[in-house]
Amino acid sequence: MSPGEKATLSPYDEAMEALSSLISNRSRADRSNKGDRFDLLFDYIKILELEDPIKQMKIIHVAGTKGKGSTCTFTESILRNCGFRTGLFTSPHLIDVRERFRLNGMDICKEKFMAYFWWCWDRLKERTRDEVPMPTYFHFLALLAFKIFAVEQVEVAILEVGLGGKFDATNVVENPVVCGISSLGYDHMEILGNTLGQIAGQKAGIFKPGVPAFTVPQPEEAMYVLEQKALQLDVPLQVVAPLDPNLLSGLHLGLEGEHQYLNAGLSIALCSTWLHRTGHVGVNYLNQTTSLPKEFIEGLTTAVLQGRAHVFPDNLIESERSGNLVFYLDGAHSPESMDVCAKWFCCAIKEDNQKDRILKNQELSDPGASRELVHIDSHEKSGKNSTQILLFNCMSIREPQLLLPRLMSACDTHGVHFKKALFVPNISLYYKVGTGASPRADYQVDLSWQLTLQRIWENLFHGEKGRNAKIADLTCEEGADDPERGAGICTNSTVFPSLPSAINWLRDSVRKNQSIRFQVLVTGSLHLVGDVLRLIKK
Protein backbone atom coordinates (compact mmCIF):
# COMPACT_ATOMS: atom_id res chain seq x y z
CA MET A 1 0.00 0.00 0.00
CA SER A 2 1.39 3.41 -0.95
CA PRO A 3 1.66 6.31 1.52
CA GLY A 4 -1.15 8.05 -0.29
CA GLU A 5 -3.45 5.08 0.15
CA LYS A 6 -2.51 4.77 3.80
CA ALA A 7 -3.59 8.34 4.43
CA THR A 8 -7.09 7.64 3.12
CA LEU A 9 -7.76 4.90 5.68
CA SER A 10 -10.28 5.66 8.41
CA PRO A 11 -9.10 5.17 12.01
CA TYR A 12 -11.14 1.97 12.19
CA ASP A 13 -9.63 0.66 8.95
CA GLU A 14 -6.18 1.37 10.36
CA ALA A 15 -7.03 -0.91 13.28
CA MET A 16 -8.20 -3.57 10.82
CA GLU A 17 -4.94 -3.26 8.88
CA ALA A 18 -2.97 -3.79 12.08
CA LEU A 19 -5.12 -6.77 13.07
CA SER A 20 -4.76 -8.26 9.59
CA SER A 21 -0.97 -8.26 9.99
CA LEU A 22 -1.35 -10.96 12.66
CA ILE A 23 -2.99 -13.42 10.25
CA SER A 24 -0.67 -16.12 8.97
CA ASN A 25 -0.93 -17.40 5.39
CA ARG A 26 0.13 -20.88 6.46
CA SER A 27 -2.21 -23.82 6.86
CA ARG A 28 -3.92 -24.16 10.23
CA ALA A 29 -2.74 -27.77 10.30
CA ASP A 30 0.92 -26.69 10.21
CA ARG A 31 2.10 -26.75 13.81
CA SER A 32 5.68 -25.71 13.09
CA ASN A 33 5.12 -22.01 13.83
CA LYS A 34 5.98 -21.33 17.45
CA GLY A 35 3.72 -18.29 17.34
CA ASP A 36 0.83 -20.67 17.95
CA ARG A 37 2.33 -21.91 21.20
CA PHE A 38 -0.34 -22.01 23.88
CA ASP A 39 2.16 -21.24 26.66
CA LEU A 40 2.88 -17.81 25.19
CA LEU A 41 -0.61 -16.70 26.15
CA PHE A 42 0.41 -16.52 29.79
CA ASP A 43 3.24 -14.14 28.87
CA TYR A 44 0.78 -11.93 27.02
CA ILE A 45 -1.60 -11.96 29.98
CA LYS A 46 1.20 -10.71 32.23
CA ILE A 47 2.12 -7.98 29.75
CA LEU A 48 -1.50 -6.83 29.67
CA GLU A 49 -1.87 -7.17 33.44
CA LEU A 50 -4.89 -9.45 33.04
CA GLU A 51 -3.96 -12.18 35.54
CA ASP A 52 -6.14 -10.99 38.42
CA PRO A 53 -9.03 -9.70 36.27
CA ILE A 54 -9.36 -13.11 34.55
CA LYS A 55 -9.30 -14.90 37.91
CA GLN A 56 -12.08 -12.65 39.17
CA MET A 57 -14.35 -13.15 36.14
CA LYS A 58 -17.37 -15.39 36.60
CA ILE A 59 -16.98 -17.35 33.37
CA ILE A 60 -19.08 -19.86 31.44
CA HIS A 61 -16.87 -21.77 28.99
CA VAL A 62 -18.36 -23.74 26.07
CA ALA A 63 -16.70 -26.08 23.55
CA GLY A 64 -18.14 -28.45 20.93
CA THR A 65 -18.33 -29.23 17.24
CA LYS A 66 -21.89 -28.13 16.54
CA GLY A 67 -24.13 -25.79 18.48
CA LYS A 68 -21.58 -24.11 20.74
CA GLY A 69 -22.30 -20.68 19.26
CA SER A 70 -26.04 -21.18 19.64
CA THR A 71 -25.61 -22.46 23.20
CA CYS A 72 -23.54 -19.38 24.09
CA THR A 73 -26.13 -17.11 22.47
CA PHE A 74 -29.00 -18.67 24.44
CA THR A 75 -26.93 -18.53 27.65
CA GLU A 76 -26.08 -14.85 27.23
CA SER A 77 -29.69 -13.97 26.43
CA ILE A 78 -31.03 -15.80 29.49
CA LEU A 79 -28.61 -14.18 31.95
CA ARG A 80 -29.08 -10.75 30.39
CA ASN A 81 -32.83 -11.13 30.87
CA CYS A 82 -32.12 -12.13 34.47
CA GLY A 83 -30.65 -8.65 34.89
CA PHE A 84 -26.91 -9.33 34.66
CA ARG A 85 -24.36 -7.31 32.69
CA THR A 86 -23.11 -9.82 30.13
CA GLY A 87 -20.05 -10.21 27.98
CA LEU A 88 -20.06 -12.68 25.07
CA PHE A 89 -17.01 -13.70 23.03
CA THR A 90 -17.74 -15.81 19.92
CA SER A 91 -16.17 -16.67 16.58
CA PRO A 92 -15.99 -16.23 13.69
CA HIS A 93 -17.50 -12.89 12.76
CA LEU A 94 -19.58 -12.60 9.60
CA ILE A 95 -19.26 -8.96 8.55
CA ASP A 96 -17.48 -6.95 11.24
CA VAL A 97 -14.92 -8.20 13.78
CA ARG A 98 -16.79 -6.32 16.51
CA GLU A 99 -19.48 -9.02 16.32
CA ARG A 100 -17.13 -11.22 18.35
CA PHE A 101 -17.37 -8.92 21.38
CA ARG A 102 -20.88 -8.37 22.71
CA LEU A 103 -21.75 -6.30 25.74
CA ASN A 104 -25.30 -6.71 27.03
CA GLY A 105 -26.31 -8.35 23.78
CA MET A 106 -24.90 -5.63 21.51
CA ASP A 107 -21.74 -5.57 19.41
CA ILE A 108 -19.13 -3.35 21.04
CA CYS A 109 -19.22 0.15 19.57
CA LYS A 110 -16.37 1.33 17.34
CA GLU A 111 -15.15 3.95 19.81
CA LYS A 112 -14.73 1.48 22.66
CA PHE A 113 -13.35 -1.20 20.37
CA MET A 114 -10.61 1.06 19.05
CA ALA A 115 -9.70 2.33 22.52
CA TYR A 116 -9.24 -1.21 23.87
CA PHE A 117 -7.64 -2.43 20.63
CA TRP A 118 -4.89 0.18 20.56
CA TRP A 119 -4.24 -0.11 24.30
CA CYS A 120 -3.55 -3.85 23.89
CA TRP A 121 -1.76 -3.42 20.58
CA ASP A 122 0.61 -0.69 21.74
CA ARG A 123 1.45 -2.45 24.98
CA LEU A 124 2.19 -5.74 23.22
CA LYS A 125 4.18 -4.05 20.45
CA GLU A 126 6.32 -2.34 23.05
CA ARG A 127 7.02 -5.41 25.20
CA THR A 128 7.12 -8.40 22.83
CA ARG A 129 10.44 -9.65 21.45
CA ASP A 130 11.93 -12.53 19.49
CA GLU A 131 11.31 -15.08 22.26
CA VAL A 132 7.78 -13.77 22.83
CA PRO A 133 6.60 -12.38 19.46
CA MET A 134 3.33 -10.59 18.79
CA PRO A 135 0.39 -12.92 19.35
CA THR A 136 -1.33 -14.64 16.45
CA TYR A 137 -4.68 -13.36 15.19
CA PHE A 138 -7.02 -15.43 17.37
CA HIS A 139 -4.75 -15.18 20.41
CA PHE A 140 -4.92 -11.39 20.14
CA LEU A 141 -8.71 -11.41 19.79
CA ALA A 142 -9.11 -13.60 22.89
CA LEU A 143 -6.78 -11.33 24.89
CA LEU A 144 -8.74 -8.32 23.66
CA ALA A 145 -11.98 -9.95 24.86
CA PHE A 146 -10.55 -10.43 28.34
CA LYS A 147 -9.44 -6.77 28.41
CA ILE A 148 -12.85 -5.54 27.27
CA PHE A 149 -14.77 -7.67 29.76
CA ALA A 150 -12.44 -6.71 32.61
CA VAL A 151 -12.69 -2.94 32.10
CA GLU A 152 -16.41 -3.07 31.31
CA GLN A 153 -16.91 -5.03 34.55
CA VAL A 154 -19.26 -7.62 33.11
CA GLU A 155 -20.92 -9.78 35.74
CA VAL A 156 -20.76 -12.89 33.59
CA ALA A 157 -18.45 -13.68 30.66
CA ILE A 158 -19.55 -16.35 28.21
CA LEU A 159 -16.65 -17.69 26.15
CA GLU A 160 -17.06 -19.80 23.02
CA VAL A 161 -14.03 -21.94 22.22
CA GLY A 162 -12.57 -21.05 18.82
CA LEU A 163 -11.04 -24.39 17.89
CA GLY A 164 -10.75 -27.59 19.91
CA GLY A 165 -10.47 -26.74 23.57
CA LYS A 166 -7.29 -27.91 25.25
CA PHE A 167 -5.00 -25.49 23.38
CA ASP A 168 -7.59 -22.88 22.47
CA ALA A 169 -6.74 -19.30 23.49
CA THR A 170 -9.86 -19.11 25.68
CA ASN A 171 -8.56 -22.01 27.78
CA VAL A 172 -6.23 -19.78 29.79
CA VAL A 173 -9.19 -19.59 32.17
CA GLU A 174 -8.24 -21.66 35.19
CA ASN A 175 -11.41 -21.53 37.26
CA PRO A 176 -14.63 -21.06 35.29
CA VAL A 177 -17.94 -21.28 37.12
CA VAL A 178 -19.28 -23.98 34.77
CA CYS A 179 -18.31 -25.65 31.46
CA GLY A 180 -20.39 -27.00 28.58
CA ILE A 181 -19.73 -29.37 25.69
CA SER A 182 -22.21 -29.16 22.81
CA SER A 183 -22.71 -31.88 20.18
CA LEU A 184 -19.50 -33.51 18.95
CA GLY A 185 -18.73 -34.67 15.43
CA TYR A 186 -16.03 -34.80 12.78
CA ASP A 187 -14.55 -31.37 12.12
CA HIS A 188 -11.07 -29.82 12.04
CA MET A 189 -9.71 -33.36 11.88
CA GLU A 190 -6.40 -32.11 10.49
CA ILE A 191 -5.82 -30.53 13.91
CA LEU A 192 -7.98 -32.34 16.46
CA GLY A 193 -7.63 -35.98 15.37
CA ASN A 194 -9.25 -38.56 13.12
CA THR A 195 -11.55 -40.24 15.64
CA LEU A 196 -14.43 -39.00 17.75
CA GLY A 197 -12.46 -40.09 20.80
CA GLN A 198 -9.50 -37.91 19.88
CA ILE A 199 -11.77 -34.97 19.09
CA ALA A 200 -13.64 -35.41 22.39
CA GLY A 201 -10.32 -35.46 24.23
CA GLN A 202 -9.43 -32.05 22.80
CA LYS A 203 -12.86 -30.60 23.64
CA ALA A 204 -12.69 -31.99 27.19
CA GLY A 205 -9.49 -30.00 27.62
CA ILE A 206 -11.64 -27.18 29.00
CA PHE A 207 -12.63 -29.30 32.02
CA LYS A 208 -11.14 -27.97 35.28
CA PRO A 209 -10.76 -29.86 38.58
CA GLY A 210 -14.00 -29.85 40.53
CA VAL A 211 -15.81 -27.46 38.15
CA PRO A 212 -19.22 -28.82 37.09
CA ALA A 213 -19.68 -29.57 33.41
CA PHE A 214 -22.64 -30.41 31.20
CA THR A 215 -22.99 -32.02 27.83
CA VAL A 216 -25.73 -33.27 25.52
CA PRO A 217 -26.21 -36.89 24.43
CA GLN A 218 -23.09 -37.86 22.45
CA PRO A 219 -21.95 -40.80 20.30
CA GLU A 220 -20.72 -43.64 22.53
CA GLU A 221 -17.03 -43.20 21.66
CA ALA A 222 -17.10 -39.48 22.43
CA MET A 223 -19.11 -39.87 25.62
CA TYR A 224 -16.69 -42.46 26.98
CA VAL A 225 -13.76 -40.05 26.59
CA LEU A 226 -15.69 -37.16 28.18
CA GLU A 227 -16.60 -39.36 31.15
CA GLN A 228 -13.02 -40.57 31.59
CA LYS A 229 -11.62 -37.01 31.46
CA ALA A 230 -14.25 -35.90 33.97
CA LEU A 231 -13.38 -38.78 36.29
CA GLN A 232 -9.67 -37.93 36.19
CA LEU A 233 -10.34 -34.30 37.19
CA ASP A 234 -13.15 -34.97 39.67
CA VAL A 235 -15.51 -33.05 37.38
CA PRO A 236 -19.23 -33.59 38.07
CA LEU A 237 -20.38 -34.22 34.49
CA GLN A 238 -24.08 -34.41 33.67
CA VAL A 239 -25.88 -35.13 30.40
CA VAL A 240 -28.85 -32.83 29.77
CA ALA A 241 -31.88 -33.59 27.65
CA PRO A 242 -33.31 -31.31 24.97
CA LEU A 243 -35.67 -28.61 26.18
CA ASP A 244 -39.33 -29.61 26.23
CA PRO A 245 -41.06 -27.10 23.88
CA ASN A 246 -44.08 -27.11 26.22
CA LEU A 247 -42.03 -25.20 28.79
CA LEU A 248 -41.95 -22.12 26.52
CA SER A 249 -45.56 -21.16 27.23
CA GLY A 250 -46.58 -21.43 23.58
CA LEU A 251 -43.66 -19.37 22.29
CA HIS A 252 -40.84 -20.46 19.96
CA LEU A 253 -37.08 -20.41 20.37
CA GLY A 254 -35.39 -17.34 18.96
CA LEU A 255 -33.06 -19.57 16.92
CA GLU A 256 -34.74 -21.70 14.26
CA GLY A 257 -34.37 -25.45 13.90
CA GLU A 258 -35.39 -28.53 15.84
CA HIS A 259 -31.77 -29.10 16.90
CA GLN A 260 -31.85 -25.84 18.86
CA TYR A 261 -33.90 -27.49 21.61
CA LEU A 262 -30.77 -29.53 22.38
CA ASN A 263 -28.67 -26.35 22.64
CA ALA A 264 -31.40 -24.64 24.67
CA GLY A 265 -31.43 -27.53 27.16
CA LEU A 266 -27.67 -27.20 27.59
CA SER A 267 -27.90 -23.43 28.05
CA ILE A 268 -30.56 -23.82 30.76
CA ALA A 269 -28.24 -26.17 32.66
CA LEU A 270 -25.32 -23.74 32.33
CA CYS A 271 -27.36 -20.73 33.44
CA SER A 272 -29.01 -22.58 36.32
CA THR A 273 -25.65 -23.82 37.60
CA TRP A 274 -24.01 -20.40 37.17
CA LEU A 275 -26.80 -18.75 39.16
CA HIS A 276 -26.60 -21.42 41.85
CA ARG A 277 -22.79 -21.37 42.19
CA THR A 278 -22.56 -17.57 42.23
CA GLY A 279 -25.16 -17.34 45.00
CA HIS A 280 -27.85 -15.54 43.07
CA VAL A 281 -30.67 -18.08 43.48
CA GLY A 282 -31.33 -21.00 45.74
CA VAL A 283 -33.49 -22.87 43.25
CA ASN A 284 -31.86 -25.20 40.73
CA TYR A 285 -33.82 -24.94 37.48
CA LEU A 286 -31.85 -27.80 35.96
CA ASN A 287 -34.41 -30.40 37.00
CA GLN A 288 -37.50 -28.32 36.40
CA THR A 289 -39.92 -30.30 34.22
CA THR A 290 -43.12 -28.31 34.59
CA SER A 291 -42.11 -24.65 34.24
CA LEU A 292 -39.29 -22.22 33.57
CA PRO A 293 -38.80 -18.72 35.04
CA LYS A 294 -40.13 -15.99 32.78
CA GLU A 295 -36.59 -14.61 32.42
CA PHE A 296 -35.41 -17.93 30.99
CA ILE A 297 -38.34 -18.05 28.56
CA GLU A 298 -37.71 -14.45 27.49
CA GLY A 299 -34.02 -15.17 26.94
CA LEU A 300 -34.62 -18.32 24.92
CA THR A 301 -37.33 -16.83 22.70
CA THR A 302 -35.55 -13.54 21.90
CA ALA A 303 -32.04 -14.88 21.24
CA VAL A 304 -30.55 -13.81 17.89
CA LEU A 305 -27.57 -15.26 15.99
CA GLN A 306 -26.65 -14.15 12.48
CA GLY A 307 -25.81 -16.74 9.87
CA ARG A 308 -27.40 -19.73 11.56
CA ALA A 309 -30.81 -20.71 10.22
CA HIS A 310 -31.11 -17.11 9.05
CA VAL A 311 -33.69 -16.03 6.45
CA PHE A 312 -33.01 -12.75 4.64
CA PRO A 313 -34.60 -11.32 1.47
CA ASP A 314 -32.36 -9.57 -1.05
CA ASN A 315 -32.76 -5.86 -0.37
CA LEU A 316 -32.35 -4.83 -4.02
CA ILE A 317 -34.93 -7.25 -5.42
CA GLU A 318 -37.21 -6.62 -2.44
CA SER A 319 -37.35 -2.96 -3.46
CA GLU A 320 -38.54 -4.03 -6.91
CA ARG A 321 -40.95 -6.83 -6.01
CA SER A 322 -41.51 -8.54 -2.68
CA GLY A 323 -40.52 -12.11 -1.93
CA ASN A 324 -38.91 -13.01 -5.26
CA LEU A 325 -35.35 -13.63 -4.03
CA VAL A 326 -34.92 -14.98 -0.52
CA PHE A 327 -31.67 -16.27 0.97
CA TYR A 328 -31.61 -19.00 3.60
CA LEU A 329 -28.24 -18.77 5.31
CA ASP A 330 -26.64 -21.36 7.53
CA GLY A 331 -22.91 -21.74 8.20
CA ALA A 332 -22.98 -25.56 8.35
CA HIS A 333 -19.62 -27.06 7.41
CA SER A 334 -19.56 -30.61 8.82
CA PRO A 335 -21.40 -33.72 7.61
CA GLU A 336 -23.67 -33.80 10.66
CA SER A 337 -24.49 -30.11 10.45
CA MET A 338 -25.36 -30.55 6.76
CA ASP A 339 -28.16 -32.90 7.82
CA VAL A 340 -29.47 -30.33 10.29
CA CYS A 341 -29.13 -27.49 7.79
CA ALA A 342 -31.00 -29.43 5.10
CA LYS A 343 -33.86 -30.28 7.44
CA TRP A 344 -34.19 -26.66 8.55
CA PHE A 345 -34.09 -25.37 4.96
CA CYS A 346 -36.72 -27.81 3.77
CA CYS A 347 -39.06 -26.99 6.64
CA ALA A 348 -38.47 -23.25 6.26
CA ILE A 349 -39.23 -23.09 2.53
CA LYS A 350 -42.31 -25.28 2.91
CA GLU A 351 -43.58 -22.98 5.65
CA ASP A 352 -42.94 -19.95 3.46
CA ASN A 353 -44.67 -21.58 0.50
CA GLN A 354 -47.59 -22.62 2.66
CA LYS A 355 -48.14 -18.99 3.65
CA ASP A 356 -48.22 -18.12 -0.03
CA ARG A 357 -50.90 -20.74 -0.79
CA ILE A 358 -53.52 -18.45 0.64
CA LEU A 359 -53.12 -16.37 -2.49
CA LYS A 360 -55.63 -17.08 -5.20
CA ASN A 361 -54.34 -19.40 -7.89
CA GLN A 362 -53.55 -17.25 -10.90
CA GLU A 363 -51.78 -17.24 -14.19
CA LEU A 364 -48.08 -16.47 -14.35
CA SER A 365 -47.77 -12.68 -14.53
CA ASP A 366 -45.38 -12.96 -17.47
CA PRO A 367 -46.25 -16.01 -19.61
CA GLY A 368 -43.44 -15.20 -22.02
CA ALA A 369 -40.74 -15.15 -19.37
CA SER A 370 -37.82 -17.56 -19.56
CA ARG A 371 -38.72 -20.95 -18.09
CA GLU A 372 -35.12 -22.10 -17.68
CA LEU A 373 -35.29 -22.17 -13.89
CA VAL A 374 -39.00 -22.59 -13.30
CA HIS A 375 -39.71 -25.49 -10.98
CA ILE A 376 -43.41 -26.19 -10.39
CA ASP A 377 -44.66 -28.99 -8.13
CA SER A 378 -47.91 -30.41 -9.49
CA HIS A 379 -49.52 -30.12 -6.06
CA GLU A 380 -48.44 -26.51 -5.59
CA LYS A 381 -51.53 -24.35 -5.74
CA SER A 382 -50.17 -20.95 -4.91
CA GLY A 383 -49.90 -17.51 -6.37
CA LYS A 384 -46.16 -17.89 -6.79
CA ASN A 385 -44.17 -20.98 -7.72
CA SER A 386 -40.76 -21.55 -6.23
CA THR A 387 -37.40 -22.93 -7.25
CA GLN A 388 -34.53 -23.89 -4.97
CA ILE A 389 -30.93 -22.88 -5.70
CA LEU A 390 -27.79 -23.89 -3.79
CA LEU A 391 -25.03 -21.30 -3.30
CA PHE A 392 -22.01 -23.14 -1.90
CA ASN A 393 -18.38 -22.93 -0.98
CA CYS A 394 -16.27 -24.62 1.67
CA MET A 395 -12.67 -24.43 2.76
CA SER A 396 -10.25 -26.81 1.06
CA ILE A 397 -9.55 -28.56 4.39
CA ARG A 398 -13.17 -29.77 4.43
CA GLU A 399 -14.33 -32.97 2.77
CA PRO A 400 -16.92 -31.93 0.17
CA GLN A 401 -17.27 -35.55 -0.96
CA LEU A 402 -18.97 -36.04 2.43
CA LEU A 403 -20.71 -32.66 2.75
CA LEU A 404 -22.49 -32.41 -0.60
CA PRO A 405 -23.96 -35.94 -0.68
CA ARG A 406 -25.30 -35.48 2.86
CA LEU A 407 -26.92 -32.20 1.87
CA MET A 408 -28.46 -33.55 -1.31
CA SER A 409 -29.67 -36.76 0.33
CA ALA A 410 -31.26 -34.96 3.28
CA CYS A 411 -33.06 -32.53 0.98
CA ASP A 412 -34.22 -35.38 -1.27
CA THR A 413 -35.71 -37.08 1.78
CA HIS A 414 -37.87 -34.02 2.37
CA GLY A 415 -38.89 -33.74 -1.28
CA VAL A 416 -36.71 -30.74 -2.06
CA HIS A 417 -34.54 -30.85 -5.18
CA PHE A 418 -32.17 -28.07 -6.20
CA LYS A 419 -32.65 -26.79 -9.72
CA LYS A 420 -29.15 -25.36 -9.83
CA ALA A 421 -26.01 -25.24 -7.70
CA LEU A 422 -23.73 -22.19 -7.83
CA PHE A 423 -20.12 -22.54 -6.67
CA VAL A 424 -18.17 -19.39 -5.84
CA PRO A 425 -14.95 -18.31 -4.13
CA ASN A 426 -15.34 -16.31 -0.93
CA ILE A 427 -14.87 -12.55 -1.08
CA SER A 428 -13.28 -12.42 2.35
CA LEU A 429 -9.54 -12.78 2.24
CA TYR A 430 -8.14 -14.91 5.01
CA TYR A 431 -5.23 -12.52 5.38
CA LYS A 432 -7.31 -9.34 5.68
CA VAL A 433 -9.94 -8.24 8.18
CA GLY A 434 -12.47 -5.50 7.62
CA THR A 435 -16.01 -4.70 6.57
CA GLY A 436 -14.90 -4.00 3.00
CA ALA A 437 -12.17 -6.61 2.57
CA SER A 438 -12.18 -7.75 -1.06
CA PRO A 439 -9.66 -8.69 -3.73
CA ARG A 440 -8.02 -5.99 -5.86
CA ALA A 441 -9.45 -5.40 -9.32
CA ASP A 442 -6.52 -7.27 -10.84
CA TYR A 443 -6.68 -10.11 -8.33
CA GLN A 444 -6.70 -13.44 -10.15
CA VAL A 445 -8.97 -15.97 -8.44
CA ASP A 446 -7.99 -19.63 -8.67
CA LEU A 447 -11.25 -21.51 -9.31
CA SER A 448 -9.77 -25.02 -9.29
CA TRP A 449 -11.33 -25.80 -5.90
CA GLN A 450 -14.76 -24.58 -7.00
CA LEU A 451 -14.49 -26.73 -10.15
CA THR A 452 -13.75 -29.72 -7.90
CA LEU A 453 -16.90 -28.96 -5.88
CA GLN A 454 -18.85 -28.74 -9.12
CA ARG A 455 -17.60 -32.14 -10.32
CA ILE A 456 -18.69 -33.74 -7.06
CA TRP A 457 -22.14 -32.17 -7.42
CA GLU A 458 -22.54 -33.18 -11.05
CA ASN A 459 -21.46 -36.74 -10.25
CA LEU A 460 -24.21 -36.93 -7.66
CA PHE A 461 -26.69 -36.26 -10.45
CA HIS A 462 -24.93 -38.86 -12.59
CA GLY A 463 -25.16 -41.50 -9.87
CA GLU A 464 -21.47 -41.44 -9.00
CA LYS A 465 -22.07 -40.11 -5.46
CA GLY A 466 -19.10 -37.86 -5.86
CA ARG A 467 -16.50 -40.58 -5.38
CA ASN A 468 -14.83 -40.16 -8.78
CA ALA A 469 -14.71 -36.39 -8.71
CA LYS A 470 -11.16 -36.12 -9.98
CA ILE A 471 -11.67 -38.31 -13.02
CA ALA A 472 -15.22 -37.43 -13.91
CA ASP A 473 -15.76 -36.66 -17.57
CA LEU A 474 -18.38 -33.97 -17.44
CA THR A 475 -20.02 -32.22 -20.31
CA CYS A 476 -19.34 -28.73 -19.00
CA GLU A 477 -18.14 -25.62 -20.70
CA GLU A 478 -14.80 -24.76 -19.10
CA GLY A 479 -15.10 -21.16 -20.25
CA ALA A 480 -17.74 -18.79 -21.44
CA ASP A 481 -17.83 -15.80 -23.73
CA ASP A 482 -19.25 -13.75 -20.88
CA PRO A 483 -16.77 -13.82 -17.96
CA GLU A 484 -19.60 -13.04 -15.57
CA ARG A 485 -21.35 -16.29 -16.44
CA GLY A 486 -18.73 -18.58 -14.97
CA ALA A 487 -15.70 -20.75 -15.48
CA GLY A 488 -17.66 -23.97 -15.68
CA ILE A 489 -21.27 -24.20 -16.85
CA CYS A 490 -22.97 -27.59 -16.49
CA THR A 491 -26.56 -28.71 -16.71
CA ASN A 492 -27.07 -28.67 -12.95
CA SER A 493 -24.42 -26.22 -11.80
CA THR A 494 -22.23 -23.23 -12.58
CA VAL A 495 -18.91 -22.01 -11.21
CA PHE A 496 -18.79 -18.22 -10.96
CA PRO A 497 -15.54 -16.24 -10.79
CA SER A 498 -16.89 -14.15 -7.92
CA LEU A 499 -19.77 -13.98 -5.47
CA PRO A 500 -21.06 -10.63 -6.86
CA SER A 501 -21.33 -12.19 -10.33
CA ALA A 502 -23.39 -15.06 -8.89
CA ILE A 503 -25.67 -12.62 -7.03
CA ASN A 504 -26.12 -10.60 -10.23
CA TRP A 505 -27.03 -13.77 -12.13
CA LEU A 506 -29.65 -14.60 -9.50
CA ARG A 507 -31.11 -11.11 -9.70
CA ASP A 508 -31.25 -11.23 -13.50
CA SER A 509 -32.95 -14.64 -13.32
CA VAL A 510 -35.56 -13.25 -10.94
CA ARG A 511 -36.29 -10.36 -13.28
CA LYS A 512 -36.77 -12.80 -16.18
CA ASN A 513 -39.05 -15.06 -14.09
CA GLN A 514 -41.24 -12.62 -12.24
CA SER A 515 -43.76 -15.18 -11.04
CA ILE A 516 -41.12 -17.35 -9.43
CA ARG A 517 -39.83 -17.16 -5.89
CA PHE A 518 -36.13 -18.03 -5.82
CA GLN A 519 -35.18 -19.71 -2.54
CA VAL A 520 -31.40 -19.79 -2.23
CA LEU A 521 -29.67 -21.93 0.39
CA VAL A 522 -26.26 -20.48 1.30
CA THR A 523 -24.11 -22.94 3.23
CA GLY A 524 -20.74 -24.66 3.57
CA SER A 525 -18.83 -21.73 5.05
CA LEU A 526 -19.53 -19.01 7.59
CA HIS A 527 -17.17 -16.81 5.56
CA LEU A 528 -19.47 -17.23 2.56
CA VAL A 529 -22.55 -16.50 4.69
CA GLY A 530 -20.97 -13.27 5.89
CA ASP A 531 -20.00 -12.28 2.35
CA VAL A 532 -23.57 -12.83 1.11
CA LEU A 533 -25.09 -10.86 3.99
CA ARG A 534 -22.73 -7.97 3.27
CA LEU A 535 -23.86 -7.87 -0.38
CA ILE A 536 -27.61 -8.36 -0.01
CA LYS A 537 -28.00 -5.93 2.89
CA LYS A 538 -26.70 -3.01 0.81
Side-chain angles (χ1 to χ4, degrees), residues 237-435:
L237 176 65
Q238 293 186 53
V239 180
V240 296
L243 169 67
D244 181 351
N246 294 320
L247 296 181
L248 293 177
S249 302
L251 301 174
H252 298 283
L253 291 175
L255 306 184
E256 292 287 340
E258 201 172 294
H259 61 291
Q260 294 294 0
Y261 288 94
L262 197 63
N263 300 323
L266 179 57
S267 70
I268 289 171
L270 295 173
C271 291
S272 173
T273 303
W274 186 88
L275 288 166
H276 189 71
R277 294 197 77 212
T278 54
H280 288 98
V281 293
V283 179
N284 190 333
Y285 298 119
L286 178 58
N287 298 315
Q288 293 292 304
T289 56
T290 57
S291 65
L292 281 175
K294 63 180 177 59
E295 295 86 355
F296 278 48
I297 294 175
E298 183 73 12
L300 291 167
T301 56
T302 59
V304 177
L305 183 60
Q306 275 198 125
R308 280 81 165 182
H310 188 181
V311 181
F312 202 95
D314 178 37
N315 277 352
L316 178 62
I317 291 297
E318 194 74 5
S319 67
E320 299 175 11
R321 54 185 67 84
S322 177
N324 279 44
L325 179 56
V326 182
F327 290 87
Y328 299 75
L329 306 110
D330 191 88
H333 50 263
S334 70
E336 296 87 356
S337 59
M338 279 293 151
D339 291 335
V340 173
C341 170
K343 184 174 182 180
W344 161 74
F345 174 65
C346 294
C347 292
I349 63 170
K350 287 182 178 179
E351 183 178 326
D352 289 349
N353 292 341
Q354 196 167 24
K355 291 176 183 177
D356 196 48
R357 286 193 185 109
I358 62 173
L359 297 174
K360 184 180 179 180
N361 189 27
Q362 57 188 6
E363 294 292 325
L364 289 173
S365 59
D366 184 4
S370 168
R371 299 296 294 251
E372 177 188 0
L373 291 172
V374 175
H375 172 62
I376 307 175
D377 291 329
S378 59
H379 64 275
E380 188 79 53
K381 300 297 183 183
S382 68
K384 191 176 292 183
N385 297 302
S386 63
T387 190
Q388 290 77 49
I389 307 291
L390 174 65
L391 182 57
F392 188 92
N393 192 35
C394 67
M395 296 175 67
S396 58
I397 59 172
R398 307 290 180 202
E399 296 187 84
Q401 70 274 18
L402 299 178
L403 301 181
L404 290 170
R406 290 284 280 266
L407 177 64
M408 180 182 283
S409 176
C411 287
D412 284 348
T413 299
H414 290 86
V416 173
H417 311 287
F418 293 103
K419 186 70 176 178
K420 196 93 170 176
L422 315 180
F423 298 101
V424 296
N426 292 346
I427 293 177
S428 300
L429 304 180
Y430 298 119
Y431 55 85
K432 186 173 176 64
V433 186
T435 57

Side-chain angles (χ1 to χ4, degrees), residues 148-166:
I148 291 170
F149 295 160
V151 179
E152 293 292 325
Q153 297 181 316
V154 300
E155 295 172 281
V156 55
I158 301 105
L159 306 179
E160 178 191 358
V161 166
L163 176 61
K166 184 177 181 179

Side-chain angles (χ1 to χ4, degrees), residues 447-480:
L447 296 175
S448 57
W449 176 246
Q450 284 69 38
L451 290 168
T452 296
L453 298 176
Q454 180 185 43
R455 291 188 184 98
I456 293 172
W457 183 261
E458 288 292 328
N459 278 331
L460 290 173
F461 275 93
H462 289 78
E464 297 292 334
K465 304 305 180 187
R467 297 189 183 279
N468 298 319
K470 292 183 180 179
I471 59 173
D473 181 19
L474 302 176
T475 55
C476 301
E477 302 174 43
E478 291 301 324

Side-chain angles (χ1 to χ4, degrees), residues 197 200 218-231 237:
Q218 304 283 6
E220 184 177 352
E221 181 184 358
M223 186 61 76
Y224 176 78
V225 172
L226 294 182
E227 291 171 345
Q228 291 303 303
K229 293 284 186 180
L231 192 61
L237 176 65

